[in-house]
Amino acid sequence: MADQPLLREEADERGVLRRALPYLRPHRARLAVALGVGLADSAALVAVAPLVGLATDALYDGDRGRLGLAVALLAVLAAAQLVLARVGELLLIRSGEDVVRTLREQAVENLATAPLRFLEAHRSGDLLRRATGEVAALAAFVRLHLRNLVSALATLGFTLAVLGGYSWQLLLVQLVVFLPPTLLVTRWFQRDAGAAFGGKASAEAAVAATFTETLTAREALQTSRGLTGWTRRFDAENRHAVRAARRALRVENRIDLVSLIEGLALVALLGVGGWMVTRDAVGVGTVVVFVVASRNLFDSFTDLSQLVGEVATARTGLARLLDLLAATTTTAPAADVDGLPERGELRCEDVEFGYRSDSVPDLHGVTLAFPAGSRTGVVGETGSGKTTLSKLLCGLYAPDAGRVTFAGTPLAALPERQLRRRIVLVPQEVRLVTGTVAENLALVRGEPDRAAIERAVARLGLTRWLDALGGLDAEVGQRGARLSAGERQILGVVRAVLADPAVLVLDEATADIDPATAARLEHALDELHADCTLIVIAHRPATIARLPRVVRLADGRVVADEASGEGRPLREEKVRLA
């Protein structure tokens, strides 16, 4: 097998805008309007300088008519710019927020359907940083800086066009004095910006990942007295993050040299402009236009230079987010497979699977068939491949060789909605969301109502247990923290039964439940719809004894597939619990 490709710590920033285009297309109309208004706002700002020049020449010539016209136009332009600036800012922010929302929703959707191998190959803190932290940084950039960036670029372009129309000689002087040193400073910044800001983002992601793992493993760290060593690791990563942040700040401060260059360019403009006026090469109004417009020119460069750091940070964050989206984009078929029955045989044929390419496969040569309605126990020592097999049977892993099929159709060919409607896994560690018992039990296909949930609980014989817990409205706490592991397992089983799948796989789903409750649940599972296939991975002898067939694994191979000597016949009644 090929090792699961890992996301790079420092994202590839090449062609980042081109890679982002698919996420911009749904919003292109609103973005076009917002950019159009922004360009009109910048054009109105740049038009002030020619009108000031016109007023200067009119005043110099004593032409009151032209002076009055220039003043009136300036008043209209000021009012128009005020409106355009406000409307353009709102439109651009809303459009940008729409794009950010699209990226956020796509990241959540991709991670929810990402291959299990991919999720297991990355630290949860890094994935969390990319899916939330980078999106939050992009949202902040959109709200605070995007409008300034568009305005600065547009103003710069319009100003250069206006100045070139008045006097290419004065424009050349300004560009020669201002542009080369400014470009050198900018190049100096850009030379180290990628590594500086990328290293900062990577270091912050490492701190976030370690902190997340600290919260997850806090009990183990405290009881094993490993907190001191772990704290040293966290401190080292935190110090590295501080050094990375300082490096990024030093690189960003290089842009301040542009202010000194601006002053030198203005001195050169006044000197050459005054000399040209004395030789009647240009009028006083032209020099005034250059002085006023130069302010726009310098301000645009200053704004851009101040935004370079923000743009670099946003670019890095966008690249990291796009890397995540690209790595988690699936090619699952969009349409349902025609003719796929609701119930059918689950089969694996010559399946081979390994977590790493440089080691012996964890499963090899596994061929098993689970007819519709069959009841099978899977046993074996720790490390024999039981849990790996359960995830392959549910389509959470794709086999490296061989195939897993449902009703003759490979699981890899089934869209997620069809696969999850037919095959449900209850893992040993059941995941819950913050909320009530009822809200957690309703997280299945069809969103069963309260009455359906109560019927399922009653059929399972858990009404008294649920009442002791506080009823369906009892809060489970953050990720089920108020419940014991056994109580979470019970809710996982009830949730699976509510889904009414064709195949129900229980991976040690009763391991943390007391024997009496486990027996009650196991008896209730006998009452499942008769054509529901049940696959139980368990160590508890009483659990295996209730099943008519037992598959034994050892070292990733099937070593026995036999009838259980203690198993009892399946019930013929078809009782649906939900």
Side-chain angles (χ1 to χ4, degrees):
M1 61 156 284
D3 287 331
Q4 171 65 44
L6 295 176
L7 293 170
R8 295 172 51 186
E9 288 290 338
E10 296 184 6
D12 183 5
E13 298 186 25
R14 294 173 297 180
V16 65
L17 293 179
R18 174 181 53 79
R19 293 161 56 198
L21 283 179
Y23 306 100
L24 299 177
R25 288 194 185 102
H27 312 286
R28 57 183 179 271
R30 179 174 288 186
L31 283 170
V33 173
L35 290 175
V37 175
L39 292 176
D41 173 36
S42 297
L45 176 64
V46 173
V48 170
L51 289 178
V52 172
L54 176 64
T56 301
D57 284 337
L59 186 62
Y60 188 79
D61 296 336
D63 189 338
R64 295 184 177 181
R66 276 195 301 155
L67 179 60
L69 176 63
V71 171
L73 290 175
L74 280 171
V76 172
L77 198 62
Q81 187 191 359
L82 182 64
V83 175
L84 289 171
R86 181 57 178 168
V87 173
E89 181 180 13
L90 290 176
L91 287 175
L92 198 58
I93 288 178
R94 288 177 181 176
S95 302
E97 289 284 6
D98 286 342
V99 174
V100 171
R101 184 190 63 194
T102 298
L103 291 170
R104 181 187 295 112
E105 292 175 350
Q106 191 65 54
V108 172
E109 180 180 345
N110 282 19
L111 284 177
T113 57
L116 191 58
R117 275 184 174 179
F118 176 84
L119 298 177
E120 292 175 341
H122 293 83
R123 300 176 74 183
S124 58
D126 182 49
L127 296 178
L128 182 66
R129 170 77 183 183
R130 290 176 188 259
T132 59
E134 308 299 4
V135 173
L138 283 174
F141 177 81
V142 166
R143 288 192 298 270
L144 302 176
H145 307 297
L146 182 58
R147 188 255 179 186
N148 292 336
L149 176 63
V150 172
S151 177
L153 289 172
T155 301
L156 179 61
F158 290 147
T159 300
L160 290 174
V162 168
L163 294 183
Y166 271 87
S167 172
W168 65 267
Q169 297 94 335
L170 286 178
L171 177 59
L172 183 62
V173 170
Q174 280 208 302
L175 293 181
V176 168
V177 177
F178 178 74
L179 198 56
T182 300
L183 292 178
L184 286 176
V185 170
T186 304
R187 184 176 180 82
W188 184 33
F189 170 85
Q190 291 178 338
R191 185 189 66 187
D192 299 322
F197 290 101
K200 176 186 175 184
S202 176
E204 290 175 347
V207 170
T210 300
F211 183 72
T212 301
E213 292 174 358
T214 302
L215 294 177
T216 303
R218 62 188 184 278
E219 293 181 1
L221 292 172
Q222 290 174 349
T223 56
S224 64
R225 298 185 179 180
L227 190 58
T228 301
W230 189 265
T231 301
R232 284 198 298 269
R233 172 181 170 179
F234 182 79
D235 288 344
E237 292 182 348
N238 199 30
R239 287 194 296 271
H240 176 64
V242 171
R243 289 194 297 270
R246 288 175 176 172
R247 180 191 179 194
L249 183 61
R250 287 196 299 270
V251 172
E252 188 174 354
N253 285 340
R254 295 174 184 177
I255 296 299
D256 291 341
L257 292 175
V258 174
S259 298
L260 176 62
I261 300 171
E262 289 177 5
L264 295 175
L266 187 58
V267 170
L269 171 65
L270 291 174
V272 175
W275 177 76
M276 292 181 69
V277 169
T278 61
R279 298 177 60 87
D280 294 327
V282 297
V284 174
T286 297
V287 176
V288 171
V289 168
F290 266 84
V291 171
V292 175
S294 293
R295 189 69 269 158
N296 293 336
L297 186 68
F298 297 153
D299 285 347
S300 296
F301 270 106
T302 299
D303 290 342
L304 288 175
S305 64
Q306 292 176 348
L307 288 170
V308 166
E310 301 295 340
V311 172
T313 300
R315 179 187 176 90
T316 299
L318 179 59
R320 284 168 56 82
L321 179 59
L322 291 175
D323 282 354
L324 174 65
L325 294 176
T328 53
T329 297
T330 59
T331 57
D336 288 350
V337 175
D338 293 334
L340 184 71
E342 288 296 326
R343 311 280 170 167
E345 180 184 62
L346 182 64
R347 173 184 290 269
C348 54
E349 302 171 355
D350 295 321
V351 165
E352 183 172 307
F353 178 87
Y355 291 97
R356 296 173 54 189
S357 59
D358 58 351
S359 61
V360 177
D362 296 86
L363 290 177
H364 33 125
V366 175
T367 298
L368 292 167
F370 303 93
S374 63
R375 305 296 201 258
T376 305
V378 179
V379 299
E381 295 181 355
T382 300
S384 61
K386 302 187 302 299
T387 295
T388 301
L389 176 62
S390 72
K391 293 178 179 178
L392 283 164
L393 293 175
C394 294
L396 294 175
Y397 290 153
D400 300 322
R403 65 176 191 163
V404 181
T405 63
F406 176 83
T409 302
L411 299 190
L414 293 177
E416 190 77 8
R417 55 183 173 272
Q418 277 190 305
L419 176 61
R420 298 299 159 226
R421 189 165 67 238
R422 288 163 175 80
I423 305 176
V424 171
L425 169 69
V426 181
Q428 182 172 354
E429 187 177 354
V430 175
R431 301 292 184 181
L432 301 180
V433 299
T434 304
T436 65
V437 171
E439 289 170 341
N440 276 274
L441 292 179
L443 294 177
V444 297
R445 177 177 61 92
E447 299 181 2
D449 58 21
R450 194 178 186 90
I453 293 174
E454 290 174 346
R455 288 196 301 271
V457 171
R459 294 276 188 175
L460 289 170
L462 296 172
T463 301
R464 185 175 299 177
W465 171 84
L466 182 61
D467 290 341
L469 197 65
L472 291 177
D473 295 321
E475 292 286 341
V476 302
Q478 187 176 6
R479 295 189 294 272
R482 294 183 181 179
L483 305 182
S484 67
E487 290 168 336
R488 290 195 293 270
Q489 283 186 327
I490 293 174
L491 292 184
V493 172
V494 177
R495 189 160 58 190
V497 170
L498 281 165
D500 188 26
V503 179
L504 179 58
V505 182
L506 306 179
D507 182 10
E508 297 286 1
T510 60
D512 295 323
I513 303 175
D514 64 90
T517 303
R520 223 172 19 245
L521 279 177
E522 289 157 3
H523 177 76
L525 290 173
D526 292 336
E527 307 294 335
L528 285 172
H529 199 287
D531 58 1
C532 175
T533 305
L534 182 62
I535 303 172
V536 180
I537 297 171
H539 285 106
R540 193 191 300 271
T543 302
I544 299 300
R546 304 180 67 88
L547 302 167
R549 176 191 176 196
V550 175
V551 172
R552 299 183 186 277
L553 297 181
D555 298 324
R557 297 181 184 275
V558 177
V559 296
D561 185 354
E562 57 195 13
S564 172
E566 302 178 20
R568 62 182 179 82
L570 297 178
R571 296 176 58 94
E572 295 297 327
E573 296 90 348
K574 297 183 179 181
V575 180
R576 190 180 296 268
L577 299 186

Short mmCIF file of all heavy atoms in Angstrom, two decimals, residues 7 111 155 161 186 243 286 301 325 342 367 385 416 452 479 482 487 539:
data_model
loop_
_atom_site.label_atom_id
_atom_site.label_comp_id
_atom_site.label_asym_id
_atom_site.label_seq_id
_atom_site.Cartn_x
_atom_site.Cartn_y
_atom_site.Cartn_z
N LEU A 7 -0.34 16.34 4.80
CA LEU A 7 -0.33 17.75 4.47
C LEU A 7 1.01 18.34 4.86
O LEU A 7 1.56 18.03 5.92
CB LEU A 7 -1.46 18.48 5.21
CG LEU A 7 -2.89 18.13 4.81
CD1 LEU A 7 -3.86 18.73 5.80
CD2 LEU A 7 -3.19 18.60 3.41
N LEU A 111 -14.03 17.43 5.81
CA LEU A 111 -13.50 16.70 6.96
C LEU A 111 -14.50 15.66 7.45
O LEU A 111 -14.11 14.59 7.95
CB LEU A 111 -13.14 17.67 8.08
CG LEU A 111 -11.86 18.47 7.88
CD1 LEU A 111 -11.66 19.46 9.03
CD2 LEU A 111 -10.65 17.55 7.79
N THR A 155 -6.52 52.85 -6.93
CA THR A 155 -6.06 54.24 -6.86
C THR A 155 -4.68 54.39 -7.49
O THR A 155 -4.40 55.36 -8.20
CB THR A 155 -6.02 54.71 -5.40
OG1 THR A 155 -7.34 54.61 -4.83
CG2 THR A 155 -5.54 56.15 -5.30
N ALA A 161 -2.16 56.66 -14.50
CA ALA A 161 -2.74 57.03 -15.79
C ALA A 161 -2.96 58.54 -15.89
O ALA A 161 -2.66 59.16 -16.92
CB ALA A 161 -4.06 56.29 -15.99
N THR A 186 10.62 46.07 -1.30
CA THR A 186 9.55 45.07 -1.39
C THR A 186 10.11 43.69 -1.70
O THR A 186 9.67 42.68 -1.13
CB THR A 186 8.54 45.47 -2.49
OG1 THR A 186 8.04 46.78 -2.20
CG2 THR A 186 7.39 44.49 -2.55
N ARG A 243 9.57 32.76 18.60
CA ARG A 243 10.68 33.11 17.70
C ARG A 243 10.19 33.29 16.27
O ARG A 243 10.62 34.21 15.56
CB ARG A 243 11.77 32.03 17.76
CG ARG A 243 12.55 32.00 19.07
CD ARG A 243 13.82 31.17 18.93
NE ARG A 243 13.50 29.77 18.62
CZ ARG A 243 13.32 28.83 19.53
NH1 ARG A 243 13.41 29.15 20.82
NH2 ARG A 243 13.05 27.59 19.18
N THR A 286 -0.34 72.02 -13.29
CA THR A 286 0.18 70.67 -13.49
C THR A 286 1.02 70.22 -12.30
O THR A 286 0.91 69.08 -11.84
CB THR A 286 1.02 70.61 -14.78
OG1 THR A 286 0.18 70.91 -15.89
CG2 THR A 286 1.65 69.25 -14.96
N PHE A 301 0.99 53.25 -2.21
CA PHE A 301 2.14 52.40 -1.95
C PHE A 301 2.28 52.11 -0.46
O PHE A 301 2.61 51.00 -0.05
CB PHE A 301 3.43 53.06 -2.48
CG PHE A 301 3.75 52.70 -3.89
CD1 PHE A 301 3.55 53.61 -4.92
CD2 PHE A 301 4.23 51.44 -4.21
CE1 PHE A 301 3.85 53.28 -6.24
CE2 PHE A 301 4.53 51.09 -5.52
CZ PHE A 301 4.34 52.02 -6.55
N LEU A 325 -8.52 21.33 1.62
CA LEU A 325 -9.67 21.04 0.77
C LEU A 325 -9.29 20.10 -0.37
O LEU A 325 -10.04 19.18 -0.71
CB LEU A 325 -10.25 22.34 0.22
CG LEU A 325 -10.89 23.29 1.24
CD1 LEU A 325 -11.33 24.58 0.57
CD2 LEU A 325 -12.07 22.63 1.93
N GLU A 342 -32.32 -2.70 -0.50
CA GLU A 342 -32.15 -2.20 0.85
C GLU A 342 -31.45 -3.22 1.74
O GLU A 342 -30.75 -2.86 2.67
CB GLU A 342 -33.52 -1.85 1.46
CG GLU A 342 -34.16 -0.61 0.87
CD GLU A 342 -33.34 0.65 1.15
OE1 GLU A 342 -32.72 0.72 2.24
OE2 GLU A 342 -33.28 1.52 0.28
N THR A 367 -11.45 -13.64 3.23
CA THR A 367 -12.65 -13.85 2.43
C THR A 367 -13.77 -14.31 3.35
O THR A 367 -13.65 -15.37 4.00
CB THR A 367 -12.42 -14.87 1.32
OG1 THR A 367 -11.40 -14.39 0.42
CG2 THR A 367 -13.70 -15.11 0.53
N GLY A 385 -6.74 -8.06 14.19
CA GLY A 385 -7.33 -7.40 13.03
C GLY A 385 -8.83 -7.25 13.08
O GLY A 385 -9.46 -6.91 12.07
N GLU A 416 -21.98 8.05 -0.39
CA GLU A 416 -22.01 8.01 1.07
C GLU A 416 -23.42 7.80 1.60
O GLU A 416 -23.63 7.04 2.55
CB GLU A 416 -21.43 9.32 1.62
CG GLU A 416 -21.19 9.33 3.10
CD GLU A 416 -19.95 8.58 3.51
OE1 GLU A 416 -19.18 8.17 2.63
OE2 GLU A 416 -19.75 8.38 4.73
N ALA A 452 -40.82 7.87 18.43
CA ALA A 452 -40.04 6.76 17.89
C ALA A 452 -38.88 6.42 18.80
O ALA A 452 -38.55 5.24 19.01
CB ALA A 452 -39.54 7.11 16.49
N ARG A 479 -19.44 16.81 24.61
CA ARG A 479 -19.04 15.54 23.99
C ARG A 479 -19.37 14.35 24.88
O ARG A 479 -18.65 13.36 24.90
CB ARG A 479 -17.55 15.56 23.62
CG ARG A 479 -17.19 16.59 22.56
CD ARG A 479 -15.78 16.41 22.08
NE ARG A 479 -14.81 16.69 23.13
CZ ARG A 479 -14.32 17.90 23.38
NH1 ARG A 479 -14.72 18.92 22.66
NH2 ARG A 479 -13.45 18.09 24.34
N ARG A 482 -20.71 14.03 30.76
CA ARG A 482 -21.48 13.72 31.97
C ARG A 482 -21.88 12.24 32.04
O ARG A 482 -22.43 11.80 33.06
CB ARG A 482 -22.75 14.59 32.02
CG ARG A 482 -22.46 16.07 32.21
CD ARG A 482 -23.75 16.86 32.34
NE ARG A 482 -23.49 18.30 32.49
CZ ARG A 482 -24.43 19.22 32.60
NH1 ARG A 482 -25.71 18.85 32.56
NH2 ARG A 482 -24.12 20.50 32.73
N GLU A 487 -22.52 4.20 29.53
CA GLU A 487 -23.75 4.92 29.17
C GLU A 487 -23.67 5.45 27.74
O GLU A 487 -24.66 5.42 27.00
CB GLU A 487 -24.00 6.05 30.16
CG GLU A 487 -24.40 5.55 31.55
CD GLU A 487 -24.37 6.65 32.59
OE1 GLU A 487 -23.63 7.65 32.39
OE2 GLU A 487 -25.07 6.52 33.61
N HIS A 539 -15.26 -9.71 23.19
CA HIS A 539 -14.48 -10.64 24.01
C HIS A 539 -15.37 -11.36 25.01
O HIS A 539 -15.00 -12.42 25.52
CB HIS A 539 -13.37 -9.88 24.77
CG HIS A 539 -12.23 -9.48 23.89
ND1 HIS A 539 -12.03 -8.17 23.49
CD2 HIS A 539 -11.24 -10.20 23.32
CE1 HIS A 539 -10.95 -8.10 22.72
NE2 HIS A 539 -10.45 -9.31 22.61
#
